[in-house]
Amino acid sequence: MTAPEFSRPQPLDRIGDSARSVTIEATEAECRALAERFGLRSVGALSATCALHRDAQGVAVTGVVHARVVQHCVVTGDEVAAMIDEPLALRFVASDAAHDAAPEEIELSPDALDVIPFSGGAIDLGEAVAETMALALDPFPRGARADEELRKAGVLKEEEAGPFGALAGLRAVLSGDPPAGEP
């Protein structure tokens, strides 16, 4: 397995019971590699400010991920710029403890942290930040021309395609008006 593009190991022996603030930032080369990995036009910036501390279950990490990315519009392929400011709340647990303690059914409380298994003497904060950025991306980004191109292709809007969409079209025909979406 290859090393992550944005690896920032945090040695366990430097993480204590009281919170320690850590700020990490991706280099230009790391941003290019992350853009390729996640299928983005570009990652202009990626950083995070986090508080790390040990607790009974492992290492708790809270903070905020900041990113500036450019995605591809799902309709036109045009550039769609996005800013990400995503809260981060994770708990790193030893791989063997994560496997042994995994119940069949999990109840999450509002203050529950996502669990990431790790092995060895460090946690990789950079990879966790990169994955958080990827999860915060809009899965279906649309550019300024998307609606126009969809209309040209004959794709109906949700309100036009719903159960009453046909009735709206019938009303337009009976009244002599052109159907919605036509000039």
PDB file of all heavy atoms in Angstrom, residues 23 99 144:
ATOM      1  N   THR A  23      -2.009  22.489  13.879  1.00  0.00           N
ATOM      2  CA  THR A  23      -2.453  23.033  12.603  1.00  0.00           C
ATOM      3  C   THR A  23      -1.622  22.377  11.511  1.00  0.00           C
ATOM      4  O   THR A  23      -0.389  22.322  11.623  1.00  0.00           O
ATOM      5  CB  THR A  23      -2.278  24.562  12.561  1.00  0.00           C
ATOM      6  OG1 THR A  23      -3.072  25.140  13.596  1.00  0.00           O
ATOM      7  CG2 THR A  23      -2.720  25.131  11.226  1.00  0.00           C
ATOM      8  N   HIS A  99     -11.693  -3.573  16.496  1.00  0.00           N
ATOM      9  CA  HIS A  99     -12.292  -4.825  16.031  1.00  0.00           C
ATOM     10  C   HIS A  99     -12.959  -5.574  17.181  1.00  0.00           C
ATOM     11  O   HIS A  99     -14.064  -6.074  17.036  1.00  0.00           O
ATOM     12  CB  HIS A  99     -11.221  -5.702  15.376  1.00  0.00           C
ATOM     13  CG  HIS A  99     -11.757  -6.991  14.859  1.00  0.00           C
ATOM     14  ND1 HIS A  99     -12.611  -7.050  13.780  1.00  0.00           N
ATOM     15  CD2 HIS A  99     -11.591  -8.271  15.288  1.00  0.00           C
ATOM     16  CE1 HIS A  99     -12.937  -8.317  13.562  1.00  0.00           C
ATOM     17  NE2 HIS A  99     -12.336  -9.066  14.458  1.00  0.00           N
ATOM     18  N   ALA A 144     -23.025  27.212 -13.586  1.00  0.00           N
ATOM     19  CA  ALA A 144     -24.007  28.226 -13.958  1.00  0.00           C
ATOM     20  C   ALA A 144     -24.827  27.817 -15.184  1.00  0.00           C
ATOM     21  O   ALA A 144     -25.988  28.199 -15.310  1.00  0.00           O
ATOM     22  CB  ALA A 144     -23.303  29.553 -14.214  1.00  0.00           C
TER      23      ALA A 144
END
